[in-house]
């Protein structure tokens, strides 16, 4: 029992000796010179080697402690020779040597980051990790294994929090008008604007009571906006058309896509075929040389738009649909802005959403000709304000920034960086 | 197809074009976040007819130019500048001309350099060298706007881009500036919708301007 107690004491002593072995100055912001010259696999192999050495030294030390105790025991027996003393001295020497060796190995291990996590942040390009001696003595070849096990629980909470944040950000970005009052983060001005609008919106919706059906909306649009080519398609027919559009127009003539069998002629209301109108799912707005916008309706034949996208007039391919993305930055940005506008129109004025959306889209016909109100940046002004778009028959709009109001009839144009909800 | 403007470098009076300027221009493009994409090369050749009877040479066009463009590897373009004719043909016409021994190349110029992407714009910066020498004769720059094809609609945005470019390049205090002189495309029968024929015409005009400015420097020296 005495022996065991001594052994344990010694063991603890040894453990503390190991942890205390490296002097404080051996830590760590500077990389150890012994390991910088070697590739990571070599470093890991060396570390494993040294851990083996340390384990053997510790075993030797334990054995030596046993022998010392045995020598003491023998020496305590009566009438002994000088043999135990000799043994003792021998053991003492070898013990000191072992301890010294252990201190050295300990220092080396400390320097190579095995006893602490000094190298963890310096993840090497090989993807290897130094073995880690955990505080309870277990050696882990790949430290992250224990990390994972320990952190799985904690990270679930983190991940949920991140997901919630991402969702809230997206919601705020695409549905700004749905922000709750409790949110309180800079949405005050936006919600105030909304409170002013319903009065205006209600007023205008009465004016548009005669624009209820899809064909009415489209007829009205073509009447009001010259220079616009409107076409309608069933969903699959649009896909065929999109694929047939040239990627770069080789001909100099304007495109006249009236060959589509199912597209109705909007300009002749008397000849409208009500049955085929029921199946219309895609509306194409084409301003020659400027842009092409694709609006999708859901369900088919209704006046409920569900997505919109802008493309170059020369683009073509099966990726051109109302949820697709143009290859050009300018049209991608307009599409993004249009998606927000669409949500706005659906949220605030759902009955006239299609009409508002189409008119708002038409305001982009000045994309390349109208300068930004506030600056002359490189991109064409891709931002058209939609909140105060009034869709009465006289189509006058209120400009949000009134300082440069020229009394024009079209919504003002802004670059993305120039338009602020607070102006 | 995307439209472009071709600019040429006009050195200030008393200075000449050199490769240092070309380096500065390239660095300027990169400083406005142009992403280098690759190399480009166009060629322009002055042809003269092979005639047995030199007296007939008056009947032939004064300037008969052939141009190859990198974006149309299968085509070859002919421009008769004084007759305002531009023609697009298959690139095998060069072989035919050689076999027929009808026209011979008098002077050939190479326009070559790097191309850069800047958002929806594509820039090409290139040196002008005679085909069998390394003498830098000039610098050209192509500014291409990809999303649309209408010259008229794009006028404003091209000018805005050039203003920004001028701001950037003027900081380097180079002895000269880029100039674009828009040829009258209608004279050549070309429409508002941009095509490679427009490019061929632009290169023809740029070349004649370059030659004129080089000659002006030479007469200035004499």
């Amino acid at each position: 029992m005495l022996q065991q107690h001594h052994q344990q004491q010694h063991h603890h002593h040894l453990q503390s000796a190991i942890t205390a072995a490296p002097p404080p100055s051996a830590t760590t912001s500077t990389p150890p010179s012994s390991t910088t010259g070697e590739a990571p696999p070599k470093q890991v192999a060396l570390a494993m080697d040294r851990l083996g050495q340390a384990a053997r030294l510790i075993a030797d030390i334990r054995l030596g402690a046993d022998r010392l105790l045995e020598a003491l025991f023998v020496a305590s027996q009566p009438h002994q020779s000088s043999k135990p003393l000799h043994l003792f001295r021998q053991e003492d020497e070898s013990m000191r040597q072992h301890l010294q060796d252990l201190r050295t190995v300990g220092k080396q291990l400390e320097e190579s980051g095995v006893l602490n996590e000094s190298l963890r942040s310096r993840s090497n390009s090989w993807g290897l990790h130094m073995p880690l001696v955990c505080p309870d003595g277990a050696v882990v070849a790949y430290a992250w294994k224990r990390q994972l096990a320990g952190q799985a629980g904690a990270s679930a909470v983190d991940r949920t929090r991140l997901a919630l944040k991402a969702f809230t950000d997206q919601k705020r970005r695409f549905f700004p008008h749905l922000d709750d009052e409790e949110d309180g983060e800079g949405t005050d001005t936006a919600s105030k604007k909304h409170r002013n609008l319903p009065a205006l919106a209600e007023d205008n919706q009465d004016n548009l009571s005669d624009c209820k059906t899809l064909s009415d909306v489209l007829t009205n649009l073509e009447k009001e906006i010259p220079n616009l080519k409107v076409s309608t398609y069933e969903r699959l027919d649009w896909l065929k058309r999109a694929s047939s559009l040239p990627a770069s127009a080789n001909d100099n003539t304007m495109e006249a896509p009236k060959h589509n069998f199912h597209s109705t002629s909007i300009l002749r209301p008397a000849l409208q075929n009500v049955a085929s109108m029921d199946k219309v799912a895609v509306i194409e707005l084409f301003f020659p040389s400027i842009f092409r916008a694709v609006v999708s309706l859901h369900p088919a034949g209704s006046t409920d738009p569900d997505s919109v996208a802008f493309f170059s007039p020369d683009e073509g391919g099966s990726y051109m649909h109302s949820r697709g993305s143009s290859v050009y930055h300018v049209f991608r940005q307009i599409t993004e802005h249009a998606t927000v506008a669409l949500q706005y129109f659906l949220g605030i004025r759902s009955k006239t959403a299609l009409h508002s959306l189409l008119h708002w889209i038409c305001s982009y016909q000045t994309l390349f000709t109208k300068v930004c109100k506030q600056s002359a940046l490189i991109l064409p002004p891709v931002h058209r304000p939609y909140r105060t778009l009034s869709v009465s028959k006289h189509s006058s709009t209120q400009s949000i920034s009134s300082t440069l109001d020229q009394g024009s009839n079209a919504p003002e144009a802004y670059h993305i960086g120039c338009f602020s909800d607070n102006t | 197809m995307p439209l472009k403007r071709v600019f040429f470098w006009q050195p200030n009076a008393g200075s000449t074009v050199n490769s240092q300027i070309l380096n500065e221009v390239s660095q300027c493009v990169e400083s406005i976040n142009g992403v280098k994409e690759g190399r480009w090369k166009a060629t322009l050749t002055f042809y003269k007819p092979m005639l047995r009877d030199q007296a007939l040479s008056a009947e032939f066009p004064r300037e008969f130019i052939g141009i190859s463009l990198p974006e149309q590897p299968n085509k070859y373009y002919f421009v008769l500048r004084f007759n305002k004719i531009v023609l697009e043909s298959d690139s095998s016409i060069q072989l035919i001309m050689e076999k027929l021994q009808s026209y011979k190349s008098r002077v050939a110029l190479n326009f070559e350099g790097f191309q850069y992407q800047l958002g929806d714009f594509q820039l090409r910066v290139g040196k002008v060298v005679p085909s069998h020498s390394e003498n830098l004769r000039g610098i050209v720059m192509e500014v291409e706007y990809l999303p649309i094809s209408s010259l008229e609609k794009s006028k404003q945005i091209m000018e805005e881009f050039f203003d920004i470019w001028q701001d950037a390049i003027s900081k380097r205090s180079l002895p000269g500036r880029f100039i674009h002189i828009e040829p009258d495309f209608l004279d050549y029968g070309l429409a508002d919708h941009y095509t490679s024929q427009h490019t061929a015409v632009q290169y023809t005009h740029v070349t004649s301007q370059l030659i004129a400015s080089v000659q002006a420097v030479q007469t200035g020296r004499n």
Side-chain angles (χ1 to χ4, degrees), chain B residues 162-178:
Chain B
F162 190 65
D163 287 341
I164 292 181
W165 167 256
Q166 280 293 91
D167 278 344
I169 193 96
S170 58
K171 292 195 184 103
R172 295 183 179 242
S173 309
L174 298 173
R177 61 205 174 101
F178 277 106

Side-chain angles (χ1 to χ4, degrees), chain A residues 128-295:
Chain A
L128 297 169
H129 294 270
M130 295 298 272
L132 179 67
V133 177
C134 305
D136 66 353
V139 176
V140 181
Y142 299 105
W144 46 262
K145 263 194 200 165
R146 287 196 85 172
Q147 298 265 325
L148 279 180
Q151 288 175 355
S155 76
V157 173
D158 272 332
R159 271 184 259 131
T160 314
R161 198 181 307 136
L162 280 172
L164 181 63
K165 182 169 183 302
F167 177 74
T168 320
D169 283 346
Q170 291 275 26
K171 180 184 158 212
R172 198 175 296 139
R173 193 168 151 221
F174 286 108
F175 304 91
H177 52 284
L178 291 178
D179 277 337
D180 294 333
E181 302 262 343
E182 305 114 45
D183 207 5
E185 275 188 352
T187 57
D188 296 332
T189 49
S191 49
K192 272 186 208 145
K193 278 204 167 73
H194 286 128
R195 277 186 237 116
N196 291 335
L197 280 174
L200 189 64
E202 288 303 323
D203 183 44
N204 284 326
Q205 282 187 17
D206 293 336
N207 288 344
L208 297 166
S209 55
D210 53 346
C211 271
K212 272 195 190 141
T213 69
L214 180 58
S215 54
D216 286 339
V217 170
L218 296 175
T219 317
N220 175 274
L221 192 71
E222 273 212 338
K223 259 194 238 155
E224 287 198 20
I225 317 266
N227 202 29
L228 164 68
K229 288 184 172 29
V230 181
S231 316
T232 58
Y233 303 86
E234 297 185 24
R235 209 170 287 281
L236 286 178
D237 292 332
W238 169 252
L239 199 56
K240 281 187 219 148
R241 161 141 170 87
S243 304
S244 72
L245 280 172
S248 66
N250 291 326
D251 52 0
N252 293 338
T253 59
M254 298 301 190
E255 299 186 30
K258 295 297 180 198
H259 62 277
N260 191 310
F261 183 64
H262 291 286
S263 75
T264 60
S265 171
I266 309 300
L267 291 174
R268 292 173 297 185
L271 297 176
Q272 271 168 23
N273 186 343
V274 175
S276 69
M277 262 302 182
D278 281 348
K279 296 203 198 112
V280 165
V282 175
I283 303 176
E284 174 197 16
L285 299 178
F286 181 54
F287 281 94
S289 307
I290 310 179
F291 70 86
R292 191 189 307 269
V294 185
V295 178

Side-chain angles (χ1 to χ4, degrees), chain A residues 248-249 251-252 288-290 312-314 327-331 368-371 376-380 415, chain B residues 1-2 118-121 145-150 152-154 156-157 160-161 164 191-195:
Chain A
S248 66
D251 52 0
N252 293 338
S289 307
I290 310 179
S312 156
D314 306 325
V327 302
Y328 302 112
H329 290 80
V330 54
F331 294 112
F368 295 106
T369 48
K370 193 155 189 161
V371 277
L377 289 180
I378 191 168
L379 274 181
H415 289 107
Chain B
M1 67 175 286
L118 258 112
D120 285 332
F121 285 88
Y145 187 58
L146 301 168
I148 56 174
S149 312
S150 157
E152 190 211 318
K153 296 276 185 314
S154 62
Q156 193 153 335
I157 188 165
E160 281 183 15
F161 180 90
I164 292 181
D192 181 63
H193 189 106
Y194 196 81
T195 63

